[in-house]
PDB file of all heavy atoms in Angstrom:
ATOM      1  N   PRO A 432      63.602 -68.685 -43.425  1.00 86.00           N
ATOM      2  CA  PRO A 432      63.582 -67.242 -43.043  1.00 86.00           C
ATOM      3  C   PRO A 432      63.513 -66.386 -44.246  1.00 86.00           C
ATOM      4  O   PRO A 432      64.523 -66.048 -44.863  1.00 86.00           O
ATOM      5  CB  PRO A 432      64.922 -67.082 -42.305  1.00 86.00           C
ATOM      6  CG  PRO A 432      65.844 -68.183 -42.830  1.00 86.00           C
ATOM      7  CD  PRO A 432      64.889 -69.338 -43.180  1.00 86.00           C
ATOM      8  N   VAL A 433      62.283 -66.035 -44.638  1.00 92.00           N
ATOM      9  CA  VAL A 433      62.053 -65.159 -45.777  1.00 92.00           C
ATOM     10  C   VAL A 433      61.326 -63.907 -45.337  1.00 92.00           C
ATOM     11  O   VAL A 433      61.010 -63.710 -44.141  1.00 92.00           O
ATOM     12  CB  VAL A 433      61.243 -65.918 -46.881  1.00 92.00           C
ATOM     13  CG1 VAL A 433      62.021 -67.092 -47.434  1.00 92.00           C
ATOM     14  CG2 VAL A 433      59.895 -66.352 -46.368  1.00 92.00           C
ATOM     15  N   SER A 434      61.042 -63.024 -46.312  1.00 91.00           N
ATOM     16  CA  SER A 434      60.440 -61.733 -45.961  1.00 91.00           C
ATOM     17  C   SER A 434      58.959 -61.579 -46.274  1.00 91.00           C
ATOM     18  O   SER A 434      58.331 -60.633 -45.888  1.00 91.00           O
ATOM     19  CB  SER A 434      61.227 -60.599 -46.625  1.00 91.00           C
ATOM     20  OG  SER A 434      61.153 -60.796 -48.030  1.00 91.00           O
ATOM     21  N   GLY A 435      58.415 -62.519 -47.040  1.00 95.00           N
ATOM     22  CA  GLY A 435      57.025 -62.382 -47.434  1.00 95.00           C
ATOM     23  C   GLY A 435      56.542 -63.489 -48.336  1.00 95.00           C
ATOM     24  O   GLY A 435      57.242 -64.498 -48.603  1.00 95.00           O
ATOM     25  N   VAL A 436      55.333 -63.287 -48.842  1.00 96.00           N
ATOM     26  CA  VAL A 436      54.642 -64.353 -49.590  1.00 96.00           C
ATOM     27  C   VAL A 436      55.396 -64.757 -50.864  1.00 96.00           C
ATOM     28  O   VAL A 436      55.624 -65.959 -51.112  1.00 96.00           O
ATOM     29  CB  VAL A 436      53.203 -63.920 -49.912  1.00 96.00           C
ATOM     30  CG1 VAL A 436      52.570 -64.901 -50.939  1.00 96.00           C
ATOM     31  CG2 VAL A 436      52.366 -63.809 -48.655  1.00 96.00           C
ATOM     32  N   ASP A 437      55.812 -63.812 -51.672  1.00 97.00           N
ATOM     33  CA  ASP A 437      56.393 -64.139 -52.945  1.00 97.00           C
ATOM     34  C   ASP A 437      57.745 -64.888 -52.755  1.00 97.00           C
ATOM     35  O   ASP A 437      58.058 -65.831 -53.469  1.00 97.00           O
ATOM     36  CB  ASP A 437      56.591 -62.905 -53.775  1.00 97.00           C
ATOM     37  CG  ASP A 437      55.271 -62.318 -54.306  1.00 97.00           C
ATOM     38  OD1 ASP A 437      54.342 -63.101 -54.492  1.00 97.00           O
ATOM     39  OD2 ASP A 437      55.175 -61.118 -54.467  1.00 97.00           O
ATOM     40  N   GLU A 438      58.531 -64.468 -51.774  1.00 96.00           N
ATOM     41  CA  GLU A 438      59.795 -65.101 -51.497  1.00 96.00           C
ATOM     42  C   GLU A 438      59.569 -66.535 -50.982  1.00 96.00           C
ATOM     43  O   GLU A 438      60.254 -67.481 -51.363  1.00 96.00           O
ATOM     44  CB  GLU A 438      60.612 -64.316 -50.509  1.00 96.00           C
ATOM     45  CG  GLU A 438      62.047 -64.770 -50.429  1.00 96.00           C
ATOM     46  CD  GLU A 438      62.878 -63.874 -49.467  1.00 96.00           C
ATOM     47  OE1 GLU A 438      62.438 -62.751 -49.179  1.00 96.00           O
ATOM     48  OE2 GLU A 438      63.955 -64.320 -49.071  1.00 96.00           O
ATOM     49  N   TYR A 439      58.512 -66.696 -50.179  1.00 95.00           N
ATOM     50  CA  TYR A 439      58.156 -68.024 -49.689  1.00 95.00           C
ATOM     51  C   TYR A 439      57.718 -68.912 -50.850  1.00 95.00           C
ATOM     52  O   TYR A 439      58.111 -70.103 -50.908  1.00 95.00           O
ATOM     53  CB  TYR A 439      57.086 -67.977 -48.585  1.00 95.00           C
ATOM     54  CG  TYR A 439      56.559 -69.326 -48.281  1.00 95.00           C
ATOM     55  CD1 TYR A 439      57.379 -70.319 -47.787  1.00 95.00           C
ATOM     56  CD2 TYR A 439      55.208 -69.676 -48.479  1.00 95.00           C
ATOM     57  CE1 TYR A 439      56.950 -71.590 -47.502  1.00 95.00           C
ATOM     58  CE2 TYR A 439      54.723 -70.906 -48.165  1.00 95.00           C
ATOM     59  CZ  TYR A 439      55.569 -71.892 -47.703  1.00 95.00           C
ATOM     60  OH  TYR A 439      55.148 -73.127 -47.382  1.00 95.00           O
ATOM     61  N   LEU A 440      56.932 -68.376 -51.757  1.00 97.00           N
ATOM     62  CA  LEU A 440      56.452 -69.184 -52.888  1.00 97.00           C
ATOM     63  C   LEU A 440      57.628 -69.634 -53.771  1.00 97.00           C
ATOM     64  O   LEU A 440      57.655 -70.782 -54.246  1.00 97.00           O
ATOM     65  CB  LEU A 440      55.453 -68.391 -53.716  1.00 97.00           C
ATOM     66  CG  LEU A 440      54.060 -68.283 -53.125  1.00 97.00           C
ATOM     67  CD1 LEU A 440      53.233 -67.380 -53.979  1.00 97.00           C
ATOM     68  CD2 LEU A 440      53.403 -69.657 -52.949  1.00 97.00           C
ATOM     69  N   ASP A 441      58.631 -68.772 -53.948  1.00 97.00           N
ATOM     70  CA  ASP A 441      59.848 -69.198 -54.678  1.00 97.00           C
ATOM     71  C   ASP A 441      60.502 -70.408 -54.028  1.00 97.00           C
ATOM     72  O   ASP A 441      60.900 -71.366 -54.653  1.00 97.00           O
ATOM     73  CB  ASP A 441      60.836 -68.049 -54.790  1.00 97.00           C
ATOM     74  CG  ASP A 441      60.379 -66.911 -55.697  1.00 97.00           C
ATOM     75  OD1 ASP A 441      59.452 -67.188 -56.512  1.00 97.00           O
ATOM     76  OD2 ASP A 441      60.906 -65.836 -55.600  1.00 97.00           O
ATOM     77  N   TYR A 442      60.591 -70.330 -52.675  1.00 95.00           N
ATOM     78  CA  TYR A 442      61.215 -71.439 -51.929  1.00 95.00           C
ATOM     79  C   TYR A 442      60.352 -72.710 -52.036  1.00 95.00           C
ATOM     80  O   TYR A 442      60.886 -73.832 -52.273  1.00 95.00           O
ATOM     81  CB  TYR A 442      61.386 -71.043 -50.485  1.00 95.00           C
ATOM     82  CG  TYR A 442      61.999 -72.114 -49.622  1.00 95.00           C
ATOM     83  CD1 TYR A 442      63.378 -72.263 -49.589  1.00 95.00           C
ATOM     84  CD2 TYR A 442      61.226 -72.946 -48.831  1.00 95.00           C
ATOM     85  CE1 TYR A 442      63.977 -73.270 -48.819  1.00 95.00           C
ATOM     86  CE2 TYR A 442      61.792 -73.931 -48.043  1.00 95.00           C
ATOM     87  CZ  TYR A 442      63.185 -74.100 -48.033  1.00 95.00           C
ATOM     88  OH  TYR A 442      63.736 -75.054 -47.247  1.00 95.00           O
ATOM     89  N   ALA A 443      59.025 -72.546 -51.885  1.00 96.00           N
ATOM     90  CA  ALA A 443      58.147 -73.717 -51.912  1.00 96.00           C
ATOM     91  C   ALA A 443      58.217 -74.421 -53.288  1.00 96.00           C
ATOM     92  O   ALA A 443      58.123 -75.618 -53.374  1.00 96.00           O
ATOM     93  CB  ALA A 443      56.716 -73.276 -51.596  1.00 96.00           C
TER      94      ALA A 443
END
Side-chain angles (χ1 to χ4, degrees):
V433 297
S434 60
V436 170
D437 290 331
E438 193 176 343
Y439 171 58
L440 284 175
D441 289 341
Y442 180 83

